[in-house]
C-alpha cells in the first residue's frame, strides 16, 4: 500500500539528517509541522481487519434477520447478548494491552462491538415486535457505539458514526418532532464526535478517509439541519421555505470551505482537504444556478426571509469569523469563491440584475484567480479556469443561439481549457526543475 | 492501562446492556400484566434491511373523536381511551391530550387533519416473521383478499403502553396457520 506524503517525508528526514543535509532542529520542526497520521502506517492491515469485522457483523445481522421464531424467547435473547458479551471481552483485552495491541486489532474489536450492539438491539426489537422506523433503531445504535471512538481509538467506528448520523439527520429533516428527535440534533451529534475524537487522539488530525467521511457527513447533516430549521409546522402539514434553505446552505458551504487550518494543513494539497473541495463545488453550483434570473430572484427572496431566522444568523456569524481568519491567512482563492454566498444580499431584488451580478462575479473571480497566479501572487489558476468554463457552458446552454454555434463554442471552450491545463503543467514543471549552478 | 479509559469502557459496556434490557423489562411487564384487547387489521409483508421480514400491522380503524372541548395538535402524543366489547374487540371512546388516571388507554401520536375525527398512529406497526413464513403470508393475503376472514391483532395494554402479542386468523395464531400451509 502506498504511504502518505507525511510518511515519505519522515523516512527522508532521517536520511537527510544522517547525510548532514539537515540540522536536528530543522528536522524536529519539520516532523512537528507534518506529523504522521494516526494509524496510517498499517493502513493495509487496518483495512483488512476492518473488512473482516464488517463481514462478520453483516453476517450476524443477516442471521438475525432470518428470525428464529422456533426458539423460545429466552433462547433468542441469548442470541442477542452472547455476541455482545464476547465482543466486549475482546475489546477489553485490546484495551488492557494498550499500545502493545496492533492498530488493526483495535479496529477489528471496535467494529465487532459496534455490530454486536446493533445486532442486540435488532434482536430485542424483533422479539417484541417493536414499532418505529429503522432510523429510530439507527439512533440508538450509533449513540451506543460513539464511546468506542475514545476507548479504542477506532477509525472504522468513527466512520460508521459519521455516516450514520448523516443518514439519520437526512431522514429526520422533514419530521416535525421536537428538536431532540429532528435533524436539528445533528450539530450536537457532530460536536460529540469531535470531543470523543480529540479525547482519544489528543489531536484533530485525521487520516484522509476519515476526513472525507467527516466532510460528507457535515455537508449532508448540516443541510438536513438547515432544512428542518427553515421549515415550519402548520395545521396543513410540514412546509419548507426552500429559497431560504438554499441561502442557508450557501452560507454553510462557504463556512465549511473556510474552516481554519493549521500551518501544516494549509500546506497540504487541495485533494487532502475534502471540506474545501465539497464546499467549493457546492458554492460554485449555487453560483451557476444564480446566473438564471428566476433562480436569482428566488435566492434574494429566500435570503430576505432567512435573515430573520436564527438558523441563518448563526451560519452567517460563523462564516464571517472564518472569512476574517481566511483573509489573515491569505487564502484569497477561497475567500473569493466564498463571496458567492453574499451576492443575494448585495445584488438586490431584481432577478435580472442579480443574475448579471452572479455572472460578472464568477467571470471576474475566474479571471482574477488566473491573473494573480500569472503575476506570481497567491491565486488558483485551475479553479479560475473551472469557474470560467462552467460559466461559459451554462450561459451558452441558456442562450437562444443555433446548435451549430453552441457546439462550436463548447469545442472552443474545451480546447481552451485543455491548452490552459497543458500550459500550467509546463510552467509548474519548469519551476520545479533545478537551475544550473 | 489508564483508569479513566477503563471507566469509560465500563460505562459504555453497561449502557450497551442497559438500553436493550430496559426495553425488555418494559415489554415483558406489559405482556405479563397488561389487559388484552383485539383489533381487526390488515398485515401486508414488507422488509426491514436490519431486522428482516415482518407483517406491517394496520388496524382497520385509526381515528377517533377528540374529547369534548379539546383541540389536539398534530404530530403530538395523545391518549386513546378504549372500551372493550363482549367479543374482546376494542373500540375508541375518545382521544385526549391528558393522561387518564385509570382505565384502558394507549399512548398514540396524532396526525394532521382538517375536520372530523382525529387520525393517529398506533404505537405498534410490525409483526416479525421467519423469512420462510413471510412469503407464505403474502400468498395467504392474495388468496383471501376478498374473503371475510380477517386478521386479529392481540395487543396487551398497560398504563398507556401497548405491545403487540400475536396475530391470529379465526382464533388460530397466524404463525401456526402459516406453518401448516407450508407443510
Amino acid at each position: 500500500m502506498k504511504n502518505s506524503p507525511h510518511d515519505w517525508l519522515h523516512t527522508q528526514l532521517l536520511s537527510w539528517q544522517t547525510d548532514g543535509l539537515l540540522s536536528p532542529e530543522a528536522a524536529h520542526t519539520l516532523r512537528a509541522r507534518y506529523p504522521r497520521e494516526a494509524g496510517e502506517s498499517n493502513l493495509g492491515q487496518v483495512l483488512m481487519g476492518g473488512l473482516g469485522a464488517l463481514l462478520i457483523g453483516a453476517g450476524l445481522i443477516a442471521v438475525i434477520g432470518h428470525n428464529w421464531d422456533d426458539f423460545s424467547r429466552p433462547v433468542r435473547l441469548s442470541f442477542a447478548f452472547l455476541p455482545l458479551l464476547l465482543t466486549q471481552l475482546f475489546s477489553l483485552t485490546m484495551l488492557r494491552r494498550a499500545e502493545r495491541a496492533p492498530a488493526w486489532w483495535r479496529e477489528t474489536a471496535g467494529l465487532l462491538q459496534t455490530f454486536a450492539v446493533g445486532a442486540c438491539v435488532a434482536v430485542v426489537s424483533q422479539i417484541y415486535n417493536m414499532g418505529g422506523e429503522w432510523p429510530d433503531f439507527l439512533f440508538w445504535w450509533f449513540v451506543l457505539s460513539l464511546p468506542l471512538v475514545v476507548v479504542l481509538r477506532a477509525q472504522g467506528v468513527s466512520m460508521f458514526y459519521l455516516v450514520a448520523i448523516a443518514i439519520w439527520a437526512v431522514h429526520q429533516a422533514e419530521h416535525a418532532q421536537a428538536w431532540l428527535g429532528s435533524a436539528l440534533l445533528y450539530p450536537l451529534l457532530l460536536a460529540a464526535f469531535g470531543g470523543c475524537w480529540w479525547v482519544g487522539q489528543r489531536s484533530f488530525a485525521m487520516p484522509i478517509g476519515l476526513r472525507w467521511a467527516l466532510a460528507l457527513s457535515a455537508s449532508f447533516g448540516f443541510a438536513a439541519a438547515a432544512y428542518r430549521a427553515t421549515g415550519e409546522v402548520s395545521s396543513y402539514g410540514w412546509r419548507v421555505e426552500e429559497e431560504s434553505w438554499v441561502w442557508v446552505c450557501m452560507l454553510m458551504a462557504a463556512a465549511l470551505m473556510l474552516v481554519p487550518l493549521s500551518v501544516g494543513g494549509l500546506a497540504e494539497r487541495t485533494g487532502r482537504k475534502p471540506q474545501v473541495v465539497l464546499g467549493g463545488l457546492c458554492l460554485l453550483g449555487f453560483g451557476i444556478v444564480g446566473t438564471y434570473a428566476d433562480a436569482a430572484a428566488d435566492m434574494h427572496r429566500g435570503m430576505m426571509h432567512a435573515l430573520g431566522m436564527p438558523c441563518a444568523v448563526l451560519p452567517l456569524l460563523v462564516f464571517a469569523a472564518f472569512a476574517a481568519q481566511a483573509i489573515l491567512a491569505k487564502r484569497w482563492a477561497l475567500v473569493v469563491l466564498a463571496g458567492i454566498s453574499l451576492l443575494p444580499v448585495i445584488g438586490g431584488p431584481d432577478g435580472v440584475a442579480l443574475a448579471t451580478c452572479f455572472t460578472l462575479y464568477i467571470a471576474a473571480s475566474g479571471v482574477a484567480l488566473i491573473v494573480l497566479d500569472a503575476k506570481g501572487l497567491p491565486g488558483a489558476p485551475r479553479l479560475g479556469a473551472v469557474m470560467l468554463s462552467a460559466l461559459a457552458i451554462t450561459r451558452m446552454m441558456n442562450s437562444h443561439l443555433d446548435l451549430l454555434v453552441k457546439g462550436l463554442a463548447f469545442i472552443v471552450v474545451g480546447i481552451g481549457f485543455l491548452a490552459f491545463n497543458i500550459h500550467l503543467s509546463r510552467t509548474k514543471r519548469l519551476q520545479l526543475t533545478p537551475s544550473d549552478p | 492501562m489508564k483508569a479513566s479509559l477503563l471507566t469509560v469502557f465500563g460505562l459504555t459496556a453497561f449502557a450497551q446492556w442497559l438500553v436493550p434490557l430496559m426495553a425488555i423489562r418494559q415489554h415483558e411487564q406489559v405482556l405479563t400484566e397488561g389487559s388484552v384487547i383485539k383489533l381487526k387489521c390488515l398485515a401486508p409483508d414488507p422488509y426491514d434491511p436490519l431486522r428482516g421480514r415482518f407483517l406491517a400491522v394496520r388496524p382497520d380503524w385509526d381515528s377517533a373523536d377528540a374529547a369534548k372541548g379539546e383541540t389536539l395538535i398534530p404530530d403530538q402524543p395523545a391518549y386513546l381511551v378504549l372500551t372493550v366489547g363482549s367479543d374482546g374487540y376494542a373500540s375508541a371512546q375518545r382521544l385526549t391530550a391528558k393522561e387518564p388516571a385509570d382505565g384502558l388507554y394507549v399512548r398514540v401520536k396524532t396526525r394532521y387533519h382538517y375536520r372530523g375525527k382525529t387520525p393517529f398512529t398506533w404505537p405498534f406497526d410490525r409483526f416479525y416473521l421467519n423469512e420462510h413464513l413471510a412469503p407464505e403470508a403474502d400468498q395467504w393475503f392474495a388468496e383471501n383478499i376478498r374473503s371475510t376472514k380477517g386478521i386479529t391483532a392481540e395487543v396487551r395494554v398497560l398504563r398507556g403502553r401497548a405491545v403487540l402479542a400475536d396475530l391470529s386468523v379465526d382464533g388460530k395464531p397466524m404463525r401456526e396457520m402459516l406453518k401448516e400451509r407450508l407443510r
Side-chain angles (χ1 to χ4, degrees):
Chain A
M1 178 117 356
K2 201 179 167 186
N3 285 341
S4 76
H6 289 206
D7 273 346
W8 177 86
L9 182 66
H10 279 246
T11 320
Q12 296 303 312
L13 283 176
L14 201 64
S15 64
W16 293 343
Q17 220 178 314
T18 317
D19 296 345
L21 294 170
L22 207 65
S23 70
E25 292 77 29
H28 178 76
T29 311
L30 284 169
R31 274 194 201 99
R33 183 169 288 187
Y34 305 107
R36 262 200 167 121
E37 289 174 2
E40 212 167 48
S41 51
N42 291 317
L43 194 58
Q45 277 185 322
V46 170
L47 282 177
M48 292 302 284
L51 193 65
L54 208 69
L55 286 171
I56 295 171
L60 198 61
I61 299 269
V63 168
I64 285 159
H66 171 78
N67 195 333
W68 304 84
D69 56 6
D70 285 335
F71 292 100
S72 66
R73 243 184 357 234
V75 174
R76 287 158 73 198
L77 283 172
S78 70
F79 291 169
F81 287 98
L82 197 63
L84 180 61
L85 181 65
L86 290 175
T87 54
Q88 283 177 341
L89 289 174
F90 181 44
S91 297
L92 185 63
T93 314
M94 291 303 112
L95 200 58
R96 290 177 75 89
R97 290 176 71 177
E99 296 306 320
R100 286 177 293 123
W104 77 273
W105 272 116
R106 274 191 284 111
E107 285 298 329
T108 308
L111 271 179
L112 280 176
Q113 194 175 338
T114 300
F115 274 100
V117 171
C120 181
V121 180
V123 172
V124 172
S125 60
Q126 191 190 66
I127 291 172
Y128 292 98
N129 297 310
M130 288 183 197
E133 295 287 315
W134 58 266
D136 305 328
F137 166 77
L138 188 66
F139 180 83
W140 285 108
W141 191 4
F142 64 66
V143 166
L144 290 172
S145 306
L146 176 64
L148 299 178
V149 173
V150 184
V151 181
L152 294 169
R153 287 174 290 141
Q155 291 170 26
V157 181
S158 305
M159 213 170 272
F160 161 78
Y161 180 84
L162 288 170
V163 172
I165 59 172
I167 292 174
W168 182 83
V170 168
H171 185 271
Q172 302 300 96
E174 266 200 337
H175 286 219
Q177 294 125 331
W179 75 273
L180 260 173
S182 77
L184 291 178
L185 192 63
Y186 178 83
L188 219 73
L189 294 171
L190 191 66
F193 169 77
C196 286
W197 179 265
W198 192 85
V199 171
Q201 310 278 345
R202 294 281 159 203
S203 150
F204 281 118
M206 282 180 193
I208 186 68
L210 206 53
R211 284 188 208 180
W212 273 99
L214 177 61
L216 280 167
S217 175
S219 305
F220 284 102
F222 278 117
Y227 193 79
R228 171 65 179 79
T230 48
E232 54 193 24
V233 187
S234 72
S235 54
Y236 298 105
W238 178 248
R239 194 179 69 83
V240 169
E241 182 74 35
E242 279 178 358
E243 292 85 5
S244 302
W245 177 62
V246 164
W247 189 60
V248 176
C249 281
M250 286 171 86
L251 286 175
M252 285 177 167
L256 180 72
M257 194 176 64
L258 296 174
V259 168
L261 297 173
S262 64
V263 180
L266 285 173
E268 283 189 309
R269 59 188 170 81
T270 313
R272 293 181 65 82
K273 291 183 265 196
Q275 77 281 11
V276 172
V277 177
L278 291 174
L281 281 175
C282 192
L283 265 183
L284 188 57
F286 281 129
I288 295 292
V289 171
T291 62
Y292 292 85
D294 290 346
D298 284 347
M299 275 185 192
H300 179 81
R301 202 171 40 250
M303 179 275 301
M304 292 301 287
H305 187 253
L307 273 178
M309 298 176 173
C311 68
V313 176
L314 195 65
L316 190 61
L317 290 175
V318 173
F319 165 68
F322 286 1
Q325 204 278 340
I327 290 168
L328 290 176
K330 297 179 179 166
R331 301 169 79 186
W332 300 118
L334 299 190
V335 173
V336 165
L337 193 54
I340 290 176
S341 62
L342 294 180
L343 291 179
V345 183
I346 53 179
D350 181 50
V352 176
L354 184 55
T356 311
C357 198
F358 267 106
T359 308
L360 291 176
Y361 185 87
I362 293 172
S365 308
V367 171
L369 290 174
I370 295 169
V371 172
L372 279 173
D373 186 74
K375 289 196 174 290
L377 294 164
R382 285 204 172 93
L383 175 63
V386 168
M387 287 170 84
L388 288 175
S389 304
L391 186 65
I393 290 167
T394 316
R395 297 322 314 152
M396 285 304 293
M397 281 172 77
N398 195 37
S399 72
H400 298 292
L401 295 171
D402 291 344
L403 277 178
L404 182 67
V405 179
K406 282 184 183 180
L408 287 173
F410 282 164
I411 292 168
V412 169
V413 172
I415 291 172
F417 193 80
L418 289 178
F420 184 72
N421 212 20
I422 292 166
H423 167 72
L424 266 183
S425 303
R426 278 192 185 155
T427 315
K428 208 168 183 179
R429 208 167 46 235
L430 282 173
Q431 283 169 351
L432 289 174
T433 310
S435 53
D436 292 333
Chain B
M1 182 175 40
K2 279 186 188 172
S4 55
L5 269 188
L6 194 63
T7 310
V8 176
F9 180 76
L11 289 173
T12 307
F14 178 68
Q16 288 174 346
W17 279 73
L18 186 69
V19 171
L21 283 175
M22 274 175 62
I24 291 170
R25 185 178 162 274
Q26 266 190 3
H27 284 77
E28 281 294 342
Q29 196 181 21
V30 177
L31 284 175
T32 49
E33 297 172 23
S35 316
V36 183
I37 62 163
K38 289 179 182 175
L39 294 163
K40 284 223 163 66
C41 63
L42 282 174
D45 162 37
Y47 176 71
D48 182 313
L50 298 166
R51 289 170 286 185
R53 306 288 290 257
F54 64 92
L55 300 179
V57 178
R58 292 176 199 152
D60 65 357
W61 57 275
D62 61 355
S63 61
D65 287 317
K68 264 188 185 169
E70 271 195 62
T71 311
L72 296 168
I73 305 164
D75 220 15
Q76 294 296 319
Y79 297 90
L80 173 70
V81 182
L82 298 163
T83 45
V84 181
S86 55
D87 55 357
Y89 285 95
S91 58
Q93 204 180 77
R94 66 181 189 279
L95 205 53
T96 172
K98 200 179 165 205
E99 185 170 358
D102 50 18
L104 205 57
Y105 61 94
V106 177
R107 194 170 190 256
V108 294
K109 200 171 190 181
T110 55
R111 297 203 307 261
Y112 299 105
H113 66 287
Y114 178 56
R115 60 171 69 169
K117 289 187 170 185
T118 306
F120 59 85
T121 308
W122 288 94
F124 48 84
D125 58 3
R126 44 185 69 195
F127 183 74
Y128 287 95
L129 272 184
N130 179 283
E131 67 173 333
H132 298 310
L133 290 182
E136 198 55 34
D138 244 4
Q139 183 68 27
W140 183 88
F141 279 115
E143 290 167 12
N144 292 282
I145 199 154
R146 288 179 202 284
S147 84
T148 51
K149 277 184 191 174
I151 298 178
T152 298
E154 269 181 35
V155 181
R156 292 267 178 177
V157 178
L158 181 70
R159 291 191 289 274
R161 288 202 301 268
V163 176
L164 179 59
D166 208 354
L167 292 185
S168 60
V169 180
D170 289 342
K172 194 170 193 175
M174 182 112 185
R175 277 200 187 100
E176 294 306 316
M177 188 269 290
L178 293 172
K179 279 178 188 168
E180 272 176 21
R181 277 172 63 93
L182 269 180
R183 273 181 214 134

